[in-house]
């Protein structure tokens, strides 16, 4: 970013709550079912029906509010937000407007080693809309109302975010908290976590905010940073060229890596909010808040500190593990199954993360069980396989789901620790490379690595590296 | 507040009603007299009255998070003006 400007960013995040049923009726919230198979007169907006609030959704919203240091409203209610769109069967969305369930909170994020506090303006409950499916060509769109009525939390941040990186860290922290609470699965690609960003720029030192654009369609974690980065650059360019930023909604086009202005709406938005007459107000007594507080799980910040104190992990590794609950569980279970904390941490952060990333999978979808990780590490520790071979073994385990023992046996990967066999391989390597031996003896000690490599190659990586080193040193004397 | 001819046309369009110029002017007049009548309420001093959203003194009506059967797909789509076997079908939405 050009030094003269600073960005002001606020995020509106929609999180689908992990309830079994919709917010105002008993239809299932299951993802990926047959279109329009999970609807009833309430969620498809038949006249004369009465919505009844799902108590679990309220509990989840309060849980989240507590975790984000919000004030929980003792009196809260729903409102109708009126607009017309084919995925909104009633012609209004039941949402919360002037009396949301949670307000005035904050969360803390780490950016480049500094703690930043980001304010949470409000968290409110609302129902999701249906899904429109568009034909490439042809005069129709198709509507699936399975999602209509799925409970959402809208989490609105203060405009406290100053860079794309902070925005990404904020999103990550939000997801971590939601997953720790088990109130949302945090899957952006499937749309259970969605992010709209309000972005503006202003001169450094300027008090007033610049005109903002609202970015929509940011449907992956990678794009949070990219979309905002692009938009900041775009707005600075507009200003530098002597133009004005227009207040508008812009769509992130991930394929092109740009934000595009949405056609200006034919009507100015007036949602004509009014209190929802079909639903009675919600009152939350301190007793309920205390009960929920008492049942809150361990959060990532506490977990991180515990990983340092209990397992002696370096801060950096503790951060990487603690940020995700599934990763943390995998780590602790593998340690319980006999793995050394440091080795388990390295295996998870290194190889396992790499394999999952290549597969576009998350730790929730990890095909290996904690005990399998611990067992593999044991094979390295007791010298059955070398660290180098372990990589091959682990890849095979990941691919097939088989145990380390089985893979080692099937592929004949047991480490060679028989001195006679290794000595033979060493002798052969030296005999084949007389020139290098001369050079080594003349003082080119870097060649040691070359000899080790030759022996490893000849033994298909199975020779015990320590023994190879010792034997080579002895022979080259 | 005064309802203009443009407002009537806009509301008619949102409601998918097709009005002749004559109807537009008739309904515009009627809507205006309704609004004028209701506007009398603005003359009242309500500064010390708590806004009412519900007249029944009732809070926290909630249900358990328990599944109930949904409608069969054919049943759900039966009232739609247009549908395929599985979807509601609407004129193409231009994003």
């Amino acid at each position: 970013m050009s030094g003269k400007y600073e960005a002001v960013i606020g995020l509106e995040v929609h999180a689908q709550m992990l309830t079994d049923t919709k917010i105002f009726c008993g239809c299932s919230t299951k993802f990926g079912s047959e279109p329009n198979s999970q609807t009833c007169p309430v969620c498809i907006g038949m006249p004369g029906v009465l919505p009844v609030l799902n108590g679990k959704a309220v509990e989840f919203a309060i849980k989240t509010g507590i975790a984000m240091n919000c004030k929980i409203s003792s009196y809260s209610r729903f409102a109708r937000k009126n607009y017309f769109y084919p995925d909104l069967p009633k012609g209004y969305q039941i949402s919360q407007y002037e009396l949301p369930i949670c307000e005035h909170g904050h969360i803390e994020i780490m950016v480049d080693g500094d703690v930043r506090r980001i304010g949470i303006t409000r968290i409110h409950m609302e129902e999701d809309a249906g899904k429109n499916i568009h034909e490439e060509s042809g005069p129709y769109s198709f509507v699936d109302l399975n999602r209509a009525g799925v409970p959402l939390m809208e989490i609105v941040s203060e405009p406290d975010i100053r860079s794309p990186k902070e925005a990404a860290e904020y999103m990550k922290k939000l997801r971590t908290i939601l997953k720790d609470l088990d109130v949302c699965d945090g899957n952006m690609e499937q749309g259970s976590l969605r992010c709209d960003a309000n972005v503006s720029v202003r001169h450094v030192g300027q008090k007033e905010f610049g005109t903002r654009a609202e970015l929509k369609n940011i449907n992956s974690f990678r794009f949070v940073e990219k979309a905002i980065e692009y938009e900041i650059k775009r707005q600075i360019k507009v200003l530098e060229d002597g133009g004005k930023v227009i207040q508008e909604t812009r769509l992130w086009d991930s394929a092109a890596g740009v934000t595009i202005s949405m056609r200006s709406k034919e009507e100015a938005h007036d949602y004509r909010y009014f209190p929802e007459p079909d639903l009675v107000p919600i009152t939350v007594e301190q007793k309920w808040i205390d009960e929920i507080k008492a049942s809150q799980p361990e959060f990532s910040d506490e977990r991180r500190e515990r990983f340092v104190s209990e397992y002696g992990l370096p801060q950096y590794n503790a951060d990487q593990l603690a940020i995700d609950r599934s990763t943390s569980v995998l780590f602790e279970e593998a340690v319980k199954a006999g793995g050394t904390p440091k080795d388990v941490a390295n295996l998870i952060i290194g190889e396992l993360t790499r394999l999952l990333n290549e597969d576009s999978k998350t730790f929730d979808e990890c095909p290996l069980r904690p005990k399998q990780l611990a067992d593999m590490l044991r094979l390295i520790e007791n010298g059955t396989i070398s660290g180098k071979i372990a990589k091959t073994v682990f890849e095979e385990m990941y691919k097939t789901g088989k145990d380390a023992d089985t893979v080692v046996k099937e592929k004949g990967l047991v480490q060679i620790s028989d001195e006679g066999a290794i000595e033979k391989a060493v002798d052969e390597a030296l005999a084949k490379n007389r020139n290098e031996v001369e050079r080594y003896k003349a003082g080119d000690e870097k060649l040691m690595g070359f000899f080790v490599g030759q022996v490893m190659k000849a033994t298909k990586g199975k020779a015990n590296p320590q023994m190879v080193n010792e034997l080579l040193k002895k022979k080259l004397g | 507040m005064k309802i203009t001819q443009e407002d009537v046309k806009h509301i008619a369009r949102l409601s998918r009603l097709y009005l002749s110029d004559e109807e537009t002017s008739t309904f515009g007049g009627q809507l205006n007299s309704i609004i004028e009548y209701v506007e009398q309420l603005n003359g009242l001093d309500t500064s010390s009255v708590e806004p009412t959203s519900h007249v029944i003194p009732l809070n926290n009506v909630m249900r358990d998070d328990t599944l109930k059967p949904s409608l069969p797909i054919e049943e759900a789509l039966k009232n739609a003006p247009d549908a395929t076997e599985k979807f509601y079908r609407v004129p193409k939405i231009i994003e």
Side-chain angles (χ1 to χ4, degrees):
Chain A
M1 192 192 323
S2 161
K4 276 159 52 190
Y5 295 95
E6 119 179 303
V8 177
I9 302 157
L11 297 186
E12 286 172 22
V13 175
H14 286 89
Q16 261 180 17
M17 298 195 224
L18 281 175
T19 52
D20 291 335
T21 66
K22 294 187 178 180
I23 185 166
F24 299 123
C25 64
C27 288
S28 170
T29 55
K30 203 170 149 237
F31 181 82
S33 303
E34 211 182 339
N36 292 301
S37 62
Q38 290 165 185
T39 69
C40 74
V42 173
C43 56
I44 58 179
M46 291 291 157
V49 294
L50 193 66
V52 185
L53 180 58
N54 184 341
K56 194 103 206 172
V58 183
E59 188 191 315
F60 281 2
I62 297 174
K63 253 181 182 245
T64 309
I66 295 170
M68 299 186 184
N69 308 292
C70 289
K71 188 183 154 289
I72 310 300
S73 310
S74 55
Y75 183 89
S76 160
R77 70 173 172 229
F78 284 96
R80 289 188 183 178
K81 178 179 179 178
N82 299 279
Y83 66 93
F84 293 101
Y85 214 65
D87 58 15
L88 190 75
K90 297 193 295 299
Y92 58 86
Q93 179 194 29
I94 304 180
S95 179
Q96 293 196 289
Y97 186 50
E98 83 279 68
L99 294 169
I101 184 95
C102 312
E103 285 182 286
H104 311 304
H106 67 262
I107 64 171
E108 282 175 352
I109 56 171
M110 284 278 269
V111 184
D112 299 328
D114 290 326
V115 176
R116 291 267 294 123
R117 175 179 283 206
I118 309 296
I120 304 288
T121 313
R122 58 187 277 154
I123 301 174
H124 72 245
M125 299 174 277
E126 60 186 28
E127 57 177 342
D128 208 343
K131 209 174 151 191
N132 300 316
I133 293 132
H134 307 289
E135 261 182 345
E136 274 296 311
S137 58
Y140 298 110
S141 290
F142 301 90
V143 185
D144 172 8
L145 295 179
N146 280 352
R147 207 178 62 183
V150 168
L152 294 178
M153 273 185 278
E154 180 172 332
I155 304 163
V156 183
S157 88
E158 291 286 308
D160 288 345
I161 300 165
R162 290 289 173 271
S163 70
K165 192 169 179 197
E166 276 184 29
E169 287 303 320
Y170 171 83
M171 275 307 285
K172 277 187 208 152
K173 190 62 177 278
L174 222 59
R175 178 175 64 169
T176 301
I177 295 172
L178 295 171
K179 286 182 75 176
D180 279 347
L181 292 167
D182 219 358
V183 296
C184 173
D185 68 20
N187 190 327
M188 279 192 92
E189 282 77 9
Q190 281 182 6
S192 39
L193 194 65
R194 291 167 236 160
C195 166
D196 298 338
N198 288 309
V199 179
S200 66
V201 297
R202 63 180 172 191
H203 284 282
V204 171
Q206 182 183 320
K207 271 243 158 75
E208 312 80 53
F209 294 146
T211 309
R212 69 187 157 87
E214 188 181 359
L215 306 187
K216 287 195 179 283
N217 200 34
I218 307 175
N219 54 7
S220 133
F221 268 89
R222 280 192 302 134
F223 298 149
V224 175
E225 211 165 333
K226 280 196 176 163
I228 296 174
E229 209 166 76
Y230 175 87
E231 181 59 19
I232 293 171
K233 280 196 192 129
R234 187 192 70 85
Q235 291 188 13
I236 291 176
K237 183 152 193 315
V238 168
L239 295 177
E240 299 261 88
D241 292 350
K244 266 190 175 168
V245 175
I246 320 164
Q247 183 165 346
E248 62 180 346
T249 303
R250 299 181 69 86
L251 276 187
W252 165 247
D253 178 344
S254 57
V258 298
T259 64
I260 313 157
S261 177
M262 277 174 87
R263 240 164 43 128
S264 66
K265 295 262 156 65
E266 284 169 51
E267 301 112 35
H269 264 188
D270 175 3
Y271 291 124
R272 291 172 291 129
Y273 281 102
F274 63 88
E276 166 59 82
D278 286 345
L279 289 160
V280 298
I282 306 154
T283 54
V284 181
E285 283 173 29
Q286 191 58 40
K287 192 170 158 267
W288 196 10
I289 299 175
D290 291 341
E291 275 168 22
I292 292 175
K293 249 187 203 156
S295 71
Q296 295 286 69
E298 181 183 48
F299 289 110
S300 63
D301 291 344
E302 299 154 21
R303 205 157 51 213
R304 188 178 55 218
E305 278 166 37
R306 192 165 59 76
F307 284 0
V308 173
S309 61
E310 195 174 324
Y311 301 111
L313 291 184
Q315 187 76 46
Y316 182 65
N317 286 357
D319 281 352
Q320 288 170 300
L321 293 173
I323 192 76
D324 183 67
R325 195 171 61 137
S326 318
T327 318
S328 302
V329 170
L330 183 65
F331 166 72
E332 292 206 86
E333 292 290 316
V335 170
K336 229 183 265 168
T340 313
K342 204 171 159 293
D343 294 341
V344 174
N346 285 334
L347 181 62
I348 291 177
I349 294 165
E351 276 303 289
L352 186 54
T353 303
R354 184 181 68 82
L355 290 167
L356 287 167
N357 283 347
E358 277 176 13
D359 231 1
S360 305
K361 278 190 174 156
T362 66
F363 274 91
D364 294 315
E365 302 157 297
C366 175
L368 295 172
R369 282 169 293 112
K371 188 167 178 301
Q372 293 179 292
L373 266 55
D375 287 348
M376 196 215 60
L377 291 169
R378 195 171 300 128
L379 293 184
I380 305 177
E381 248 169 72
N382 67 22
T384 308
I385 54 174
S386 66
K388 195 161 181 270
I389 285 292
K391 208 178 143 180
T392 315
V393 172
F394 195 61
E395 276 173 11
E396 188 64 18
M397 287 169 68
Y398 180 88
K399 244 195 294 178
T400 59
K402 287 178 182 162
D403 289 343
D405 276 325
T406 316
V407 172
V408 167
K409 259 183 224 138
E410 281 180 5
K411 302 242 154 187
L413 294 170
V414 177
Q415 176 165 264
I416 304 171
S417 297
D418 169 25
E419 191 161 342
I422 294 178
E423 189 166 8
K424 194 167 156 256
V426 167
D427 287 342
E428 276 170 18
L430 296 180
K432 259 192 230 160
N433 299 285
R434 288 189 194 284
N435 281 341
E436 283 76 7
V437 173
E438 304 261 311
R439 273 166 58 202
Y440 180 87
K441 286 193 170 154
D444 191 355
E445 293 192 0
K446 285 201 301 284
L447 279 168
M448 181 53 98
F450 166 79
F451 294 125
V452 173
Q454 290 300 308
V455 176
M456 283 309 199
K457 209 169 137 194
T459 58
K460 297 200 177 75
K462 289 189 283 187
N464 180 327
Q466 217 179 330
M467 291 175 70
V468 172
N469 267 304
E470 279 166 16
L471 276 166
L472 277 168
K473 272 190 194 135
K474 209 166 88 185
K475 303 243 169 198
L476 290 164
Chain B
M1 190 178 152
K2 183 112 169 80
I3 301 274
T4 64
Q5 298 295 302
E6 287 312 307
D7 291 332
V8 179
K9 281 184 194 154
H10 177 63
I11 295 163
R13 207 174 76 79
L14 289 178
S15 318
R16 304 289 180 268
L17 295 174
Y18 302 92
L19 304 182
S20 66
D21 286 351
E22 199 185 323
E23 285 170 320
T24 307
S25 129
T26 313
F27 293 136
Q30 290 179 1
L31 285 171
N32 270 317
S33 60
I34 293 168
I35 285 187
E36 269 164 40
Y37 176 67
V38 176
E39 260 177 357
Q40 290 179 53
L41 289 171
N42 285 342
L44 292 172
D45 177 12
T46 56
S47 55
S48 59
V49 181
E50 184 83 8
T52 310
S53 60
H54 292 86
V55 288
I56 333 165
L58 195 61
N59 291 324
N60 293 0
V61 178
M62 296 182 205
R63 57 178 184 84
D64 290 336
D65 187 25
T66 322
L67 276 175
K68 282 200 180 144
S70 294
L71 289 174
I73 301 177
E74 323 74 79
E75 195 78 8
L77 297 174
K78 210 154 117 190
N79 285 337
D82 192 10
T84 66
E85 247 169 64
K86 287 183 179 152
F87 290 100
Y88 298 88
R89 188 159 74 174
V90 298
K92 189 163 193 161
I93 306 161
I94 302 155
E95 299 262 340

